């Protein structure tokens, strides 16, 4: 019962303090409002000041968004600030006003433009919609897609503007040259679907591919150097991609630098940052919940796993097996691709007519492998029992390796094929020269120009459309009748379309792969996601198990896999871009389609992945993968460019030994001689070697700088950490103090239950108390002394009754009685109802009787007083006088516990502050005063006053509770009104004075406020850095306190009414700042003097 | 403007179109909570309470505007952190104590975690973020923790 009582009180007080806190808060805000007023009213003529004021208001206007005020308050403040600005701005120079207006206008325009620009950001609304439904993880995929789209747009513009359009405009028209004409034997089938499907026919001889571009060094009237442009653009594509990627990565790493700090908040983040407030879709919310549960469980598991080490043998075995499986499947896929390419090559050679499957099997197989293998890896990964995040990493790495392996095996197989083509070509050439010895001269000499010549031999080509050996045979026959050159020409001519143009072939394959990949993506979206979604949604009602939650479920949107697929796709583009200039353009189309399809699929039939891989915008992981991909895709292309000889009779570089020869050739022929010589010098080892050295040095230098910066960064961080830990230490000390008080309070809560026993023990001890008082005085332990004194309080009234009773049984009886007493006391204190107190009159009386018995050895001071006091007013006290016991006992209880705890928790060192000393000093005087004052007590017509006071209490109580001090004050008044002796009354006052100080200290820590008057004593010596607020409040309170004390002394002379009127005023005082400790001390010292004076005069 | 229409849409019968004359209208929480943006948010009640004037979840237009200005992408992160703290502070005592945390976790997980797990999580959270070891998170603790989170800013906003 008692603990609950105590806790109730605790709570009520805490509520009060909370209110107070809020109030304080609002006052602070109000203060800011006041500051406006002050600014407004305090207008001076000093322009600088006005300007500053205006600046301040403008700052306010600019930052108003950042303040945690409510909208109404913001609006008010804004309006006021604007008014002020308007009012005063006119006084300043005009230019300033114009400047400001201009800036304002500019800001508005910029904002408008910003809003306008959003309309033109492609898919912005769509992405936002997805984001709002599925959270930022899924949206990041689309943002990445859009970014890739942007890159591809730039690449398309580059190739389109510098290669394709010039070729179309100024190049030789279709059919004008050999390389731009479809061979006669293919014309028939050139428009067939399967030809077009396999990118043959018209498509093969179009701007799509390398082979179409002419080899004239200059085209058109302007003399556009197409081959040079082709080469440079091909390189620029890579360069641009590199630069943009690195730039983006640098930007991202800069933004994510702050968050890259050590992750020691895993649980916090999982709890507080887990929910994606964007989610507005029940399904997404559900899966997000599941994801959060998973992640929390996972974290718990992780935490537990840190502690225990489990049987690793099995898992290690499993992991080894899994890795072997993965490696096997990787090798299998690579072999499969190589095999397919090889087979298709053989088929092409052996068979004339290829079926649709045979033509497309390479790309189909590659796409299939890329589609199926990740799921297989997924299954294998389940075997490994890794942590989910690690699993995902592994999965991504494996899939990336797979994709790369696929691309590489494909390109290597293709290059192999190209190699064999070249050797074949060489072989046929050899045979040609063998067969027709005499014309070899011509052949070799004229070969480079073969492509340029007009094509009269198409008719011949028509006849000789079979294998090259046959052609050669016929050529040998023809040599007798035809000019050598023509024969040579026809030989070369017939060889060309047969597959000599390996660049076109590679480009074709890449484009084919890309197309098939797109088709597979579409198909997989439709089949796996859409139809599955339809199936699950509409059949789940009729199925024997729950389709939505069991087996097929809805398709998940696997962000990581999809992003990887994008990366793979982009890699294909980079790889093929050189051989097929229109590949980026095609990719643009593909990405657009993918964007719409994916977003549609996501919105209609997908649920987000449960294991959301953190893929926020600032994540460099995907970009790093992309960069890796770019690098690896660039290698084969560069290798092909450098290593292979360009095809002889197609493409812009035909006839050159190496593709890059075009650059040196241009430098030699088209630029002035001095430039040539300069380039020659630059490219000489004399320059290059030092340059390389310099580069190395630079790299080393930058790296060392980076290292040192990192080191200093670390040190700074350490410093911050240190500072923070120091702060923490301080806070911890503070908290320790708080905890101690808290413990104290918690101790007191249980203690309250046995408070009575304590109390009784106190009563028992009171015998020693007389001696104790002296002891405590000598210790100058303020609080203890106060308590002891106040403790003696109940004893004095107790003696009033002087009922004969045996001490020990009385004590034993007093327990329940006090229990009851205290219980009604609280409501009575808060409501001020007299009746309740009266209802327990008898109880209190008995109790007081107990007191009498229990303290036969009470202080001498008290005894005479109480006797004096009691004798006149016994009868009155029978009705009213017992009321004091409840509150007083209450206080006593507190004191008793405190008395117990304080000596334990607070050694004397805590009480070193002067003010305290003064209080201590002050104290004896008060006691003295009280002694001297006491004799006058009986004189007063107490009863009416008391009732009056109580009523006032009743009024005051609801009015004043906003400030904490009122609580004790009211308490105190209550107490005093009930107390018969004026003397003891001062003691609780003093006590509360010190208590008030404590309370003010505690303002910022509401729950502890009521607990201890001594807390200040602790905090002051320990925390000189405490917030200033306290320091500010405290003196003001004490001042008001002293005022009240002074007034109370007045009022003691005149009447208690005045005293009470002073009390409520205290609530208004606290805000008045600027009271210093000195003042307090002075007033305090003045107070006893005053009192003494008053006492004297009274006497 | 859009926000106003959204606000009006919530309770067409309550909110007049001409807002200059009649500023004292409140939309009850039941309607606020059914906004598609908030419908699935486990903290919708807290959000409404924090931003409403008297903590009962009924919002005036000003409160409504407030809410979405804090939740917009433009709001500074300190402000966001401040309000996030208030949202997670279920009993409004300016500290996030273990009870608040339990509430948070159970709402987040819709009660799918067992009691031990929840208490373990709360303990861990307090362990991690409580820099002054008083068994609860103050605003400073919370801010220093949340502002270091990589995706707090990206997740703590509502798009309307």
């Amino acid at each position: 019962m008692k603990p609950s009582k105590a806790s109730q009180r605790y709570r009520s007080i805490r509520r009060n303090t909370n209110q107070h806190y809020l109030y304080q808060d609002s006052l602070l805000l109000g203060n800011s409002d006041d500051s406006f007023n002050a600014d407004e009213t305090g207008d001076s003529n000093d322009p600088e000041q006005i300007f500053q004021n205006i600046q301040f208001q403008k700052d306010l206007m600019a930052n108003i968004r950042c303040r945690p005020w409510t909208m109404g308050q913001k609006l008010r403040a804004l309006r006021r600030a604007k008014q002020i600005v308007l009012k005063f701005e006119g006084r300043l120079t005009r230019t300033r006003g114009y400047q400001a207006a201009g800036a304002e206008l500019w800001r508005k325009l910029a904002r408008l433009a910003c809003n306008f620009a959003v309309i033109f950001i492609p898919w912005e609304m769509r992405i936002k919609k997805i984001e709002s439904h599925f959270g930022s993880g899924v949206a990041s995929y689309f943002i990445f897609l859009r970014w890739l789209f942007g890159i591809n747009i730039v690449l398309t513009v580059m190739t389109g503007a510098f290669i394709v359009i010039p070729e179309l405009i100024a190049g030789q028209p279709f059919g004008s040259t050999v390389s731009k004409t479809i061979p006669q034997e293919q014309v028939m089938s050139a428009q067939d679907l399967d030809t077009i499907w396999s990118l043959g026919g018209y498509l093969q001889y179009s701007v799509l591919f390398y082979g179409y571009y002419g080899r004239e060094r200059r085209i058109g009237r302007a003399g556009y150097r197409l081959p040079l442009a082709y080469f440079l653009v091909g390189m620029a594509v890579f360069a641009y991609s590199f630069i943009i990627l690195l730039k983006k990565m640098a930007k991202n790493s800069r933004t994510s630098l702050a968050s890259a700090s050590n992750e020691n908040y895993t649980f916090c983040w999982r709890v507080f940052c887990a929910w994606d407030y964007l989610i507005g879709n029940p399904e997404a919310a559900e899966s997000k919940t599941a994801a959060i549960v998973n992640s929390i469980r996972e974290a718990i598991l992780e935490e537990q796993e840190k502690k225990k080490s489990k049987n690793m043998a099995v898992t290690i075995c499993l992991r080894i097996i899994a890795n072997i499986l993965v490696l096997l499947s990787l090798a299998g896929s690579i072999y499969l691709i190589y095999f397919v390419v090889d087979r298709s090559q053989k088929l092409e050679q052996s068979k004339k007519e290829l079926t649709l499957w045979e033509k497309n099997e390479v790309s189909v197989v590659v796409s299939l492998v890329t589609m199926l293998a990740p799921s297989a890896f997924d299954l294998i990964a389940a075997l490994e029992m890794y942590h989910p995040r690690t699993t995902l990493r592994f999965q991504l790495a494996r899939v990336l390796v797979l994709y790369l392996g696929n691309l590489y095996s494909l390109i290597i197989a293709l290059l192999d094929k190209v190699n064999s083509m070249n050797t074949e070509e060489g072989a046929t050439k050899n045979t040609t020269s063998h067969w027709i010895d005499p014309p070899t001269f011509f052949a070799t000499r004229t070969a480079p120009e073969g492509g340029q010549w007009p094509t009269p031999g198409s008719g011949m080509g028509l006849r000789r459309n079979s294998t090259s050996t046959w052609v050669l045979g016929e050529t040998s026959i023809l040599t007798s009748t035809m000019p050598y050159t023509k024969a040579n020409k026809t030989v070369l001519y017939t060889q060309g379309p047969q597959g000599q143009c390996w660049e076109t072939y590679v480009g074709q394959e890449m484009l084919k792969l890309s197309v098939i990949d797109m088709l597979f993506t579409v198909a997989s979206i439709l089949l796996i996601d859409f139809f599955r979604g339809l199936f699950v949604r509409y059949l789940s009602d009729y199925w024997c198990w729950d389709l939505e939650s069991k087996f097929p479920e809805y398709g998940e949107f696997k962000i990581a896999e999809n992003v990887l697929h994008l990366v793979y796709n982009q890699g294909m583009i980079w790889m093929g871009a050189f051989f097929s200039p229109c590949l980026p353009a095609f990719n643009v189309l593909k990405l657009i389609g993918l964007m719409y399809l994916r977003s549609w699929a996501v919105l209609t039939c997908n649920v987000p992945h449960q294991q959301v891989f953190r893929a926020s915008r600032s994540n460099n992981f995907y970009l790093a993968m992309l960069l890796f991909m770019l690098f690896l895709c660039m290698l084969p292309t560069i290798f092909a460019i450098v290593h292979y000889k360009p095809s002889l009779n197609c493409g812009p570089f035909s006839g050159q030994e190496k593709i890059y020869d075009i650059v040196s050739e241009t430098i030699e022929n088209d630029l002035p001689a001095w430039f040539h010589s300069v380039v020659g010098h630059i490219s000489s080892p004399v320059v290059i070697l030092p340059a390389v050295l310099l580069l190395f040095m630079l790299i080393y230098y930058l790296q060392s700088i980076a290292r040192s910066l990192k080191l200093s960064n670390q040190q700074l961080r350490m410093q911050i950490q240190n500072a923070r830990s120091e702060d923490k230490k301080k806070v911890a000390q503070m908290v320790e103090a708080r905890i101690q008080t808290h413990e104290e309070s918690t101790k007191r809560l249980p203690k309250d239950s046995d408070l009575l026993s304590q109390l009784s023990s106190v009563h028992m001890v009171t015998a020693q108390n007389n001696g104790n008082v002296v002891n405590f005085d000598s210790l100058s332990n303020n609080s203890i002394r106060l308590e002891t004194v106040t403790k003696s309080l109940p004893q004095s009234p107790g003696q009033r009754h002087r009922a004969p009773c045996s001490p020990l049984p009385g004590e034993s009886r007093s327990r329940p009685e006090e229990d009851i007493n205290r219980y009604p006391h609280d409501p009575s204190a808060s409501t001020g109802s007299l009746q309740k107190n009266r209802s327990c009159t008898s109880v209190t009386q008995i109790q007081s009787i107990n007191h009498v018995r229990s303290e036969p050895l009470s202080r001498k001071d008290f005894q005479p007083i109480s006797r004096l006091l009691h004798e006149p007013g016994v009868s009155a006290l029978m009705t009213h006088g017992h009321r004091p016991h409840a509150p007083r006992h209450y206080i006593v209880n507190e004191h008793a516990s405190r008395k117990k705890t304080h000596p334990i928790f607070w050694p004397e060192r805590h009480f070193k502050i002067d003010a305290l000393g003064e209080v201590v000093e002050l104290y004896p005087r008060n006691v003295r005063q009280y002694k001297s004052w006491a004799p006058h007590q009986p004189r007063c017509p107490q009863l009416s006053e008391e009732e009056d006071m109580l009523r006032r209490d009743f009024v005051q109580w609801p009015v004043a509770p906003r400030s904490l001090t009122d609580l004790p004050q009211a308490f105190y008044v209550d107490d005093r009104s009930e107390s018969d002796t004026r003397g003891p009354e001062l003691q609780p006052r003093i006590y509360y004075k010190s208590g008030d100080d404590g309370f003010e200290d505690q303002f910022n820590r509401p729950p502890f406020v009521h607990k201890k008057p001594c807390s200040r004593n602790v905090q002051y010596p320990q925390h000189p850095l405490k917030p200033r607020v306290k320091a500010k409040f405290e003196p003001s309170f004490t001042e008001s306190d002293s005022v009240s004390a002074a007034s109370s002394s007045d009022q003691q002379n005149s009447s208690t009414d005045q005293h009470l009127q002073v009390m409520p005023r205290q609530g208004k005082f606290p805000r008045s700042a600027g009271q210093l400790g000195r003042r307090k001390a002075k007033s305090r010292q003045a107070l006893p003097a005053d009192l003494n004076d008053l006492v004297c005069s009274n006497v | 403007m859009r926000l106003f229409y959204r606000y009006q849409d919530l309770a067409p019968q309550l909110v007049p179109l001409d807002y200059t004359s009649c500023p004292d209208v409140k939309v009850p929480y039941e309607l606020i909570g059914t906004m598609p943006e908030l419908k699935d948010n486990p903290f919708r009640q807290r959000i409404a309470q924090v931003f409403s004037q008297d903590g009962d979840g009924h919002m005036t237009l000003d409160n409504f505007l407030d809410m979405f200005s804090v939740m917009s992408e433009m709001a500074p992160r300190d402000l966001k952190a401040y309000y996030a703290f208030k949202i997670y502070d279920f009993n409004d005592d300016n500290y996030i104590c273990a009870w608040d945390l339990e509430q948070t976790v159970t709402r987040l997980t819709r009660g799918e975690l067992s009691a031990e797990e929840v208490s373990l999580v709360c303990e861990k959270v307090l362990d991690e973020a409580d820099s002054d070891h008083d068994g609860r998170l103050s605003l400073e603790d919370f801010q220093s923790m949340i502002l270091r989170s990589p995706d707090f800013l990206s997740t703590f906003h509502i798009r309307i």
Side-chain angles (χ1 to χ4, degrees), chain A residues 866-983:
Chain A
S866 46
R867 250 172 233 148
L868 274 172
L869 173 140
H870 201 255
E871 271 151 16
V874 176
S875 61
L877 282 168
M878 289 311 278
T879 51
H880 296 277
H882 30 261
R883 236 180 296 120
H885 300 298
R888 203 173 296 134
H889 281 303
Y890 188 60
I891 296 165
V892 168
N893 287 346
E894 278 192 344
H895 291 177
S897 67
R898 207 169 288 128
K899 186 209 163 192
K900 269 224 157 181
T901 50
H902 283 189
I904 297 162
F905 286 117
W906 326 114
E908 285 92 354
R909 65 177 169 90
H910 290 176
F911 309 102
K912 278 172 188 164
I913 279 215
D914 290 355
L916 293 176
E918 273 160 354
V919 173
V920 173
E921 249 181 87
L922 165 78
Y923 199 73
R925 271 180 239 178
N926 276 327
V927 173
R928 234 196 308 144
Q929 190 264 340
Y930 135 72
K931 281 187 219 160
S932 55
W933 178 237
H936 302 279
Q937 292 278 323
R939 225 167 28 123
C940 307
Q942 288 160 2
L943 291 178
S944 62
E945 268 177 28
E946 273 170 23
E947 273 187 355
D948 195 7
M949 282 162 100
L950 279 171
R951 242 178 287 128
R952 274 170 185 284
D953 276 351
F954 183 54
V955 177
Q956 186 190 358
W957 193 236
V959 170
R962 65 175 179 152
S963 108
L964 241 194
T965 37
D966 290 321
L967 179 68
Q969 283 293 351
F971 221 159
Y972 146 61
V973 170
D974 205 4
D975 191 11
R976 195 174 39 127
S977 67
E978 289 151 3
S979 73
D980 305 332
T981 61
R982 277 292 168 265

Side-chain angles (χ1 to χ4, degrees), chain A residues 71 131 272 277 724 731, chain B residues 66 88 128 132 148 155 159:
Chain A
M71 191 56 84
E131 196 172 6
F272 291 125
Y277 282 71
R724 201 176 289 152
V731 172
Chain B
D66 244 357
Y88 292 126
E128 281 170 0
D132 49 6
R148 261 182 247 171
T155 57
R159 187 160 290 135

Side-chain angles (χ1 to χ4, degrees), chain A residues 156-171:
Chain A
T156 309
V157 166
M158 265 159 59
T159 54
F162 295 112
I163 302 177
V164 178
I165 292 175
E167 173 69 32
L168 282 178
I169 292 173

Side-chain angles (χ1 to χ4, degrees), chain A residues 112-388:
Chain A
L112 204 69
C114 233
N115 282 343
F116 194 60
V118 169
I119 302 172
F120 293 100
I121 298 174
W123 305 308
E124 184 73 6
M125 290 315 289
R126 186 174 283 261
I127 288 176
K128 301 245 152 157
K129 195 174 160 198
I130 290 169
E131 196 172 6
S132 68
H133 277 76
F134 288 87
S136 52
V138 176
S140 76
Y141 167 81
F142 288 96
I143 288 166
F144 186 66
L145 177 60
R146 186 174 65 185
W147 185 71
L148 277 184
F149 173 75
I151 288 185
N152 277 299
I153 289 268
V154 174
L155 296 188
T156 309
V157 166
M158 265 159 59
T159 54
F162 295 112
I163 302 177
V164 178
I165 292 175
E167 173 69 32
L168 282 178
I169 292 173
Q172 283 162 336
F174 180 71
S176 60
T177 57
V178 188
S179 64
K180 293 184 181 179
T181 318
I182 299 172
Q184 287 298 322
E185 87 271 21
Q186 288 175 15
V187 166
M188 307 300 292
S189 65
Q191 282 178 326
D192 293 357
L193 188 64
D194 68 319
T195 321
I196 290 180
W197 176 246
S198 58
L199 303 172
Y202 281 110
L203 288 181
Q204 189 178 348
Y205 299 95
S206 68
V207 284
L208 273 182
F209 298 113
Y210 169 90
Y212 181 78
Y213 295 90
R215 54 155 301 178
E216 295 92 347
R217 295 198 48 247
R218 288 154 174 273
I219 56 171
R221 257 168 291 155
Y224 188 74
R225 298 183 178 85
L226 184 74
L228 183 68
Y230 195 99
F231 180 76
L232 289 183
V233 166
M235 293 301 106
V237 163
F238 290 119
Y240 171 76
S241 309
F242 258 118
I243 288 169
I244 197 94
L245 251 176
L246 289 176
K247 230 171 109 181
K248 178 98 175 165
M249 282 177 82
K251 201 174 133 201
N252 274 350
S253 65
R254 224 175 299 138
T255 56
S256 64
L257 202 66
S259 59
S261 58
N262 45 352
E263 287 195 21
N264 46 5
Y265 290 123
T266 42
F267 273 97
C268 288
W269 290 347
R270 257 161 231 228
V271 172
F272 291 125
C273 307
W275 189 258
D276 201 335
Y277 282 71
L278 288 168
I279 287 176
N281 179 343
E283 284 170 23
E286 203 132 303
S287 61
K288 184 75 191 177
T289 307
I292 290 168
V293 171
N294 275 349
S295 78
I296 288 178
R297 285 229 171 97
E298 178 190 305
I300 292 173
L301 275 181
E302 216 172 308
E303 202 61 27
Q304 284 165 347
E305 222 146 276
K306 267 180 204 166
K307 290 164 194 162
K308 62 175 184 185
S309 65
K310 56 178 191 181
N311 183 19
M312 292 300 284
V314 179
T315 46
I316 285 176
C317 278
L318 279 175
R319 281 171 195 182
I320 288 171
I321 290 171
N323 276 319
I324 288 172
L325 278 176
V326 167
L327 280 181
L328 278 181
S329 60
L330 278 180
S333 75
I334 287 169
Y335 174 74
L336 192 66
I337 289 166
Y338 198 85
F339 171 77
V340 167
V341 172
D342 202 40
R343 194 175 96 103
S344 72
Q345 193 180 344
K346 273 178 193 145
L347 274 177
E348 256 173 49
Q349 279 175 356
S350 60
K351 270 169 100 179
K352 248 186 79 182
E353 275 305 304
L354 299 172
T355 60
L356 187 65
W357 162 248
E358 281 164 343
K359 275 179 191 163
N360 295 310
E361 65 182 350
V362 177
S363 26
V364 169
V365 164
V366 170
S367 295
L368 266 182
V369 167
T370 51
M371 261 187 60
L372 294 181
S375 341
F377 289 166
D378 226 355
L379 284 180
I380 293 170
L383 207 70
E384 290 179 299
M385 298 192 293
Y386 272 125
H387 181 281

Side-chain angles (χ1 to χ4, degrees), chain A residues 370-425:
Chain A
T370 51
M371 261 187 60
L372 294 181
S375 341
F377 289 166
D378 226 355
L379 284 180
I380 293 170
L383 207 70
E384 290 179 299
M385 298 192 293
Y386 272 125
H387 181 281
R389 209 180 320 131
T390 342
T391 312
L392 194 64
R393 292 257 161 83
F394 267 83
Q395 169 82 354
L396 285 180
R398 278 167 191 164
V399 173
L400 189 66
V401 168
L402 175 85
Y403 285 165
L404 273 178
N406 286 349
L407 274 186
Y408 257 63
S409 56
L410 183 70
I411 198 83
I412 285 170
L414 287 179
L415 288 181
D416 204 35
K417 200 167 159 185
V418 167
N419 240 349
S420 67
M421 269 185 209
N422 280 346
T423 51
E424 197 181 297
E425 182 193 9

